[in-house]
């Protein structure tokens, strides 16, 4: 399921935040990102999701994290080289309320 289809407002916001941060190459990825799995932590403040297959262990040394500055909450992107693989979204009930109801079957 494409991020832009399931969370269109968030997708537009993320694109703008990345452009503002000078990360135009990452911003260009947003419309093609798929939500492949939701975070399974079950914390009520978490709306995080994977945009690539979740690793069996840690991502390794090639991973870096980029924090963008939204008007509310926190958004951190995990990157492998130059590819967005995980988007950590915290304290964003607007995103969580749309993400939680999505069934896992739709991500396979």
């Amino acid at each position: 399921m494409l991020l832009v289809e399931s969370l269109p407002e968030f997708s537009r916001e993320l694109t703008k935040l990345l452009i503002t941060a000078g990360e135009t190459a990452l911003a260009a990825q947003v419309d093609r990102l798929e939500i492949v799995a939701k975070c399974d932590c079950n914390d009520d403040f978490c709306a995080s999701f994977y945009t690539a297959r979740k690793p069996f262990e840690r991502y390794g040394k090639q991973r870096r994290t980029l924090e963008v500055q939204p008007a509310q909450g926190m958004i951190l992107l995990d990157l492998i080289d130059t590819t967005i693989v995980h988007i950590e979204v915290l304290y964003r009930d607007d995103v969580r309320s749309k993400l939680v109801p999505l069934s896992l079957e739709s991500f396979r």
Side-chain angles (χ1 to χ4, degrees):
M1 180 174 285
L2 287 174
L3 172 62
V4 70
E5 293 172 353
S6 54
L7 299 168
E9 299 88 8
F10 179 75
S11 178
R12 285 190 297 274
E13 175 188 5
L14 182 57
T15 299
K16 288 177 185 175
L17 290 168
L18 287 167
I19 290 169
T20 299
E23 298 285 352
T24 55
L26 294 177
Q29 293 179 37
V30 174
D31 285 346
R32 298 184 314 271
L33 292 177
E34 290 189 48
I35 300 175
V36 298
K38 296 181 277 187
C39 177
D40 59 3
C41 74
N42 294 319
D43 288 334
D44 63 357
F45 57 85
C46 181
S48 302
F49 53 91
Y50 293 88
T51 58
R53 185 180 175 138
K54 183 178 175 181
F56 290 110
E57 294 186 19
R58 297 190 185 272
Y59 283 115
K61 293 180 182 179
Q62 72 272 26
R63 180 185 74 70
R64 76 176 174 109
T65 300
L66 172 68
E67 183 174 0
V68 292
Q69 303 298 317
Q72 64 178 16
M74 293 177 63
I75 301 173
L76 298 106
L77 295 95
D78 286 331
L79 311 167
I80 299 294
D81 297 320
T82 59
T83 302
I84 301 169
V85 296
H86 180 256
I87 301 177
E88 188 171 0
V89 183
L90 304 175
Y91 306 104
R92 291 290 299 267
D93 290 338
D94 60 320
V95 176
R96 183 172 169 75
S97 67
K98 292 179 177 94
L99 183 68
V100 168
L102 298 176
S103 69
L104 289 176
E105 288 75 36
S106 65
F107 300 124
R108 295 176 195 215

